[in-house]
Amino acid sequence: MALLIIRLDKIIGNAEAWRDTFRVQLPDLPVRIWPDAGEVRDIEYLAFMHPDFDALPAFPNLKAMFSRAAGVDDIAKHPKLPKVPLGKIEPPGGDPMMTEYVVMHVLRLHRDMPAYQAAQARREWLRVPIARPEQRRVGFLGFGMMAKAPALVLKSLGFSVSAWVRSPRQDAEVPIFHGPDQLAPFLAQTDIAVCLLPLTVETEGIFCARTFAMMPKGAMLVNVGRGRHVVDKDLIAALDAGQLSYAALDALWPEPLPPESPLWLHPKITVMPHVARRPTVAQLATEIVANIRSLEAGGGLLQEVALTLGY
């Protein structure tokens, strides 16, 4: 049995850090770093981020794969994707970095910080009406592990919080809307929309002229999902018309954002270079080890990706 690390050592930590961490957590597991795969028959597990399957050999004894990327839309339909279970390696309670990041942007928009920053540049002593948290409705599109923790923090601060998901679901703490038929009523009661959706055929371009029109006038958007969730020209048109008041974009398309993109200098848009969170080698290794132990004990992956759904 061996684990092959592909590209993770180039993005998070280094090869030595990965080997050292697994040596502590699962000392009997040989860890190899691509392209030094060794004997491919030994490889039972792959851990990667955006791998090039065209460049990889076949692994005849492969049992499972683990993806660091939040989205797997780039590999889910790859013709050479190995026919074994694919799991995400995410902490089960969400990531505190994502929680702080989402809460930061929601609070920043809620308290009109972009307007105050613009006023400071003009040397203008600007005082505007202040909305209390209970007057602001925050809606999460997508309500997985990364969304629930910031949603509950915002709720604890007094915000009205709801969520919209693909399929019916009950939640004791947050009202849940679901499916295409409930998207319009969900957006109609959302002042700040936070997108944490996976990218699928159904969700690509979900923030467009049609859905911006469903939102209250002056609504705001925080996109920490995928860049292709937002139709850029429609966002700019909605901001220019006053239908939306601000947008904070951490995920963009393409990335890096080209210098000529009009998003860069729009006064009502904050562009961030996809920096919501950075897990550590130790965090990722812990989740991989937990999954391997589950599989070796006859169980399943802890967070298996449904390839037919794309997440």
Side-chain angles (χ1 to χ4, degrees), residues 29 53 63 68 85 112 127-128 176 179 187 189 198 203 211 221 224 238 244 276-277 280 282 287 294 309:
L29 176 69
F53 286 112
K63 293 181 179 178
R68 152 65 188 96
D112 286 315
R127 292 172 66 88
V128 299
I176 302 289
L187 290 176
Q189 54 90 69
T203 66
T211 49
L221 170 64
V224 281
L244 297 188
R277 55 187 291 259
T280 65
E287 297 307 316
S294 175
L309 299 178

Side-chain angles (χ1 to χ4, degrees), residues 13 23 39 48 50 88 124 149 178 191 198 205 227 256 290:
R23 194 174 293 119
E39 176 53 65
F48 49 64
H50 304 306
K88 292 184 180 182
E124 176 186 351
H178 71 272
D191 300 312

Side-chain angles (χ1 to χ4, degrees), residues 4 26 46 55 62 72 92 107 123 148 185 224 229 241 262 292:
L4 179 62
L26 200 60
L46 302 179
L62 194 64
V72 295
L107 293 179
R123 302 181 185 181
K148 183 153 188 178
V224 281
H229 283 135
I292 290 176

Side-chain angles (χ1 to χ4, degrees), residues 35-251:
D36 184 16
E39 176 53 65
V40 295
R41 287 177 296 183
D42 297 338
I43 305 298
E44 295 186 359
Y45 299 103
L46 302 179
F48 49 64
M49 185 169 182
H50 304 306
D52 179 6
F53 286 112
D54 290 322
L56 295 178
F59 301 101
N61 296 316
L62 194 64
K63 293 181 179 178
M65 304 176 292
F66 308 105
S67 174
R68 152 65 188 96
V72 295
D73 46 280
D74 61 329
I75 65 172
K77 296 181 180 179
H78 196 288
K80 292 188 177 180
L81 181 72
K83 302 296 191 287
V84 298
L86 172 64
K88 292 184 180 182
I89 40 178
E90 302 284 8
D95 189 323
M97 289 189 75
M98 179 63 82
T99 299
E100 70 181 22
Y101 192 82
V102 169
V103 171
M104 173 188 72
H105 277 297
V106 169
L107 293 179
R108 178 174 170 270
L109 299 187
H110 165 63
R111 293 302 300 264
D112 286 315
M113 289 306 297
Y116 288 117
Q117 288 174 310
Q120 179 180 345
R122 299 189 302 267
R123 302 181 185 181
E124 176 186 351
W125 190 260
L126 178 69
R127 292 172 66 88
V128 299
I130 299 175
R132 294 192 57 80
E134 58 267 23
Q135 297 173 292
R136 196 81 78 181
R137 301 163 296 181
V138 182
F140 283 79
L141 290 92
F143 203 57
M145 295 175 297
M146 293 297 161
K148 183 153 188 178
L152 294 181
V153 170
L154 291 166
K155 182 180 177 183
S156 75
L157 293 175
F159 290 91
S160 173
V161 178
S162 61
W164 178 82
V165 296
R166 179 178 181 272
S167 304
R169 186 193 310 177
Q170 296 295 321
D171 190 281
E173 296 166 299
V174 173
I176 302 289
F177 295 74
H178 71 272
D181 293 342
Q182 294 187 12
L183 180 59
F186 166 77
L187 290 176
Q189 54 90 69
T190 295
D191 300 312
I192 301 178
V194 180
C195 180
L196 275 160
L197 289 166
L199 184 64
T200 67
V201 172
E202 292 79 14
T203 66
E204 183 169 354
I206 191 169
F207 284 104
C208 60
R210 180 181 67 89
T211 49
F212 291 143
M214 297 174 182
M215 302 175 73
K217 190 173 181 63
M220 294 165 270
L221 170 64
V222 177
N223 184 24
V224 281
R226 306 287 277 180
R228 284 185 286 173
H229 283 135
V230 179
V231 179
D232 292 350
K233 64 180 180 60
D234 291 357
L235 173 63
I236 290 172
L239 290 166
D240 290 346
Q243 176 58 23
L244 297 188
S245 58
Y246 299 121
L249 309 176
D250 184 65

